[in-house]
Amino acid sequence: MESWDALLAEGKQMHHCIGSYAAQVSARQVFVYHMEAPEALTIALSPQGSQWGVQEIRGYCNALPSEASLKAIQRWLTAHY
């Protein structure tokens, strides 16, 4: 997310509490991304050893991601982190 307002809007749109990550995001301990396909998800990444990895992935109302989404996220992480 690019701003405090964007983080709050993500939580409101997705009906979950990603806004509670504000302090961690501000401290650059967590990075938050929104994914639209194959489904809408909020992805929180955090340092895991010497790399960045998934801390949490949630859909609308905290729904768990589909297998297709998990595979897409893994491909994205491999390519960018």
Side-chain angles (χ1 to χ4, degrees):
M1 302 287 108
E2 296 177 10
S3 69
W4 167 248
D5 289 337
L7 191 65
L8 292 179
E10 178 74 5
K12 185 175 182 179
Q13 174 187 343
M14 296 296 287
H15 293 269
H16 56 48
C17 65
I18 195 65
S20 68
Y21 283 61
Q24 292 172 306
V25 170
S26 178
R28 301 180 62 85
Q29 297 169 337
V30 172
F31 286 90
V32 177
Y33 296 89
H34 178 83
M35 178 172 129
E36 277 296 317
E39 65 186 309
L41 295 170
T42 305
I43 304 163
L45 302 179
S46 63
Q48 296 179 2
S50 62
Q51 299 181 21
W52 286 83
V54 172
Q55 177 175 324
E56 189 170 14
I57 306 169
R58 292 289 184 237
Y60 188 77
C61 292
N62 286 318
L64 296 175
S66 68
E67 190 64 34
S69 291
L70 291 174
K71 287 179 183 179
I73 292 165
Q74 186 57 50
R75 284 191 305 271
W76 176 72
L77 282 173
T78 299
H80 295 94
Y81 287 93

